[in-house]
Amino acid sequence: MESVEIRKSLKQDTFEGVDFLDLDDLLTDEHKLIRTSIRDFVKKEISPYIEDWSQKAYFPTEIVKKFGDVGAFGPQIPEQYGGGGMDYISYGLIMQEIERGDSGMRSTASVQGSLVMYPIYKFGSEEQRNKYLPKLASGEMLGCFGLTEPDHGSNPSGMVTNFKDMGDHYLLNGAKMWISNSPQADIAVVWAKDESGRIHGLIVERGMEGFTTPETHGKWSLRASCTGELVFDNVKVPKENLLPNKSGLGAPLMCLDSARFGIAWGVIGAAMDCYESARKYAAERIQFGKPIAGFQLTQKKLSEMLTEITKAQLLAWKVGKMMNEGKAKTVHISMAKRNNVEMALNIAREARQIHGGMGITGEYPIMRHMMNLESVITYEGTHDIHLLILGQEITGIPAFK
């Protein structure tokens, strides 16, 4: 990546959390300890630089190793493979704190943990687990997840990426699009159809002939994360790189459940950051001889923000508890992802109004969060598709087929 001069912000990150209903009562001491360590990490390693990274569309490759050091990669993966061996609420809290810093930073971490490490752990061989997971956990390797294609987003079963059995190897052809981490990734977990049309996961390594990762430029969203394509032109993939323990569309969708759960928590962080910024700005900004915090409409906005954040926290915590107990279904995760992203986006928009013209500048985090959340509301299941997943559960009739 080309050399870019990054300016460190002089503004102090003084965030202490938003907890109106004393929901910390629902957390263990370990949960709170994990949250504090990641919050401190974000204040030191992300907050001072994120506005400049975002303005300059710069992905800080050095953050990958730092995420590994602080345990942000695969916290829910067992310790024997380098993961944290933590529960799903811990994972959620880690995503929340990172996304308060920036959604693009959270994307980097959640793709690594839920979309790369999780399928290798869940569907991979013991050899694959030992070969890749410790290096992914430590940040020595960065991974990406190839499911979405140029013509197949909400309908992944229509994918055309395919592989043929050539005897001693597989021959992979096709392309994937909108892939977080791809330009910098060392490996890609790629979903492709075999000759019978069955979907399988394959681990594709950088350096394999015919495998390229063109970067996507010109993004107005997630500007501090790297996004690109995966292109496979007669790529020879060793047979031992096939994930052996699950095939079919259900395999990548299980990975997406884990990642969407992380999003449901993560966006609460973005919402809290916008709310806190708006609350502080409203107390300091004087109009008509008094702080704008003293006006009814500003108080209405802040009251509704706090209420919605609190509801989202309860929803995320309950789904986290269900994840820990093995009771959470795709529909529960869809509800949490859809509700919480919409909540965060609405809060970003309201917070922008409280900040007035200052809300569109990099002096405050609002516009960056708002632009980021426009991607989050679409990726890993669009807003409408999650609505229809819930609709199918209610009625028994699939509306998206």
Side-chain angles (χ1 to χ4, degrees):
M1 193 164 268
E2 71 278 7
S3 174
V4 175
E5 188 182 342
I6 298 298
R7 288 183 302 112
K8 184 177 181 179
S9 170
L10 298 175
K11 283 181 94 170
Q12 207 63 34
D13 182 350
T14 58
F15 181 76
E16 291 301 329
V18 178
D19 185 9
F20 184 67
L21 282 187
D22 197 18
L23 300 180
D24 271 14
D25 270 1
L26 302 173
L27 304 179
T28 65
D29 288 342
E30 186 188 3
H31 289 147
K32 288 181 256 193
L33 202 62
I34 290 162
R35 183 182 61 190
T36 298
S37 75
I38 301 295
R39 186 173 292 173
D40 291 346
F41 171 83
V42 168
K43 287 180 179 181
K44 179 170 178 273
E45 301 291 352
I46 295 176
S47 299
Y49 310 103
I50 188 59
E51 298 301 342
D52 215 34
W53 290 341
S54 193
Q55 290 277 359
K56 291 170 178 166
Y58 173 76
F59 174 67
T61 51
E62 67 277 7
I63 202 76
V64 176
K65 189 76 180 71
K66 291 175 180 178
F67 273 147
D69 291 344
V70 81
F73 289 148
Q76 78 284 30
I77 301 292
E79 290 179 71
Q80 72 185 93
Y81 301 114
M86 299 175 196
D87 71 355
Y88 274 95
I89 289 175
S90 300
Y91 171 62
L93 288 165
I94 290 170
M95 295 302 111
Q96 172 187 288
E97 294 304 314
I98 295 174
E99 190 147 358
R100 187 190 69 82
D102 186 72
S103 302
M105 292 289 103
R106 196 266 311 139
S107 293
T108 302
S110 65
V111 165
Q112 183 93 327
S114 284
L115 299 182
V116 183
M117 295 176 70
Y118 178 85
I120 293 172
Y121 167 64
K122 205 79 178 165
F123 315 137
S125 66
E126 195 60 24
E127 292 74 24
Q128 289 167 343
R129 290 176 193 143
N130 290 320
K131 180 178 179 181
Y132 296 109
L133 292 178
K135 289 181 177 177
L136 289 162
S138 69
E140 185 182 331
M141 291 178 94
L142 185 65
C144 65
F145 175 87
L147 181 64
T148 299
E149 296 188 357
D151 296 321
H152 298 92
S154 294
N155 177 25
S157 63
M159 71 170 66
V160 294
T161 299
N162 66 89
F163 65 96
K164 292 184 170 66
D165 190 332
M166 306 303 286
D168 61 343
H169 65 274
Y170 298 119
L171 200 63
L172 178 66
N173 280 285
K176 304 291 182 177
M177 197 174 191
W178 304 119
I179 309 300
S180 292
N181 298 355
S182 93
Q184 297 292 324
D186 301 290
I187 66 166
V189 173
V190 178
W191 302 92
K193 287 180 176 173
D194 65 15
E195 286 151 288
S196 71
R198 184 79 177 166
I199 293 169
H200 294 264
L202 298 150
I203 301 169
V204 183
E205 299 181 22
R206 185 169 295 284
M208 287 182 176
E209 196 176 340
F211 174 41
T212 53
T213 58
E215 187 163 2
T216 303
H217 295 287
K219 296 183 300 176
W220 287 104
S221 181
L222 302 177
R223 287 171 59 82
S225 82
C226 61
T227 310
E229 301 169 49
L230 301 173
V231 180
F232 315 105
D233 181 10
N234 287 326
V235 180
K236 291 180 179 177
V237 180
K239 288 204 161 176
E240 63 266 23
N241 283 31
L242 183 90
L243 298 177
N245 294 333
K246 190 169 175 64
S247 64
L249 188 59
L253 294 184
M254 275 177 70
C255 307
L256 286 167
D257 274 349
S258 177
R260 289 163 180 162
F261 169 77
I263 290 172
W265 280 84
V267 293
I268 296 170
M272 292 194 297
D273 205 44
C274 292
Y275 165 76
E276 277 294 284
S277 183
R279 186 182 65 78
K280 289 175 182 170
Y281 185 84
E284 295 162 2
R285 173 69 170 162
I286 308 295
Q287 289 291 284
F288 304 103
K290 69 175 184 179
I292 63 170
F295 291 105
Q296 287 182 357
L297 287 177
T298 304
Q299 292 188 5
K300 176 182 185 288
K301 286 181 170 70
L302 292 170
S303 297
E304 288 175 344
M305 286 180 195
L306 183 59
T307 304
E308 291 305 313
I309 287 169
T310 303
K311 284 154 65 176
Q313 287 172 319
L314 283 163
L315 181 54
W317 175 81
K318 176 58 180 172
V319 176
K321 191 167 181 291
M322 292 171 78
M323 291 280 281
N324 287 343
E325 294 164 357
K327 294 177 182 173
K329 297 177 185 171
T330 294
V331 286
H332 301 130
I333 296 163
S334 283
M335 177 188 274
K337 191 266 185 185
R338 184 180 185 277
N339 179 80
N340 290 7
V341 179
E342 183 175 42
M343 171 278 302
L345 198 44
N346 288 340
I347 284 177
R349 289 170 178 157
E350 291 288 273
R352 211 290 302 152
Q353 290 202 51
I354 290 174
H355 285 77
M358 292 307 291
I360 70 162
T361 71
E363 286 291 302
Y364 296 92
I366 311 303
M367 200 69 173
R368 175 173 52 80
H369 282 307
M370 195 194 301
M371 292 193 300
N372 286 343
L373 289 164
E374 285 291 349
S375 288
V376 181
I377 205 166
T378 294
Y379 73 21
E380 296 188 24
T382 69
H383 200 55
D384 291 349
I385 288 288
H386 283 301
L387 186 82
L388 298 180
I389 288 170
L390 206 53
Q392 180 180 352
E393 177 74 5
I394 295 163
T395 65
I397 306 167
F400 49 81
K401 289 178 184 170

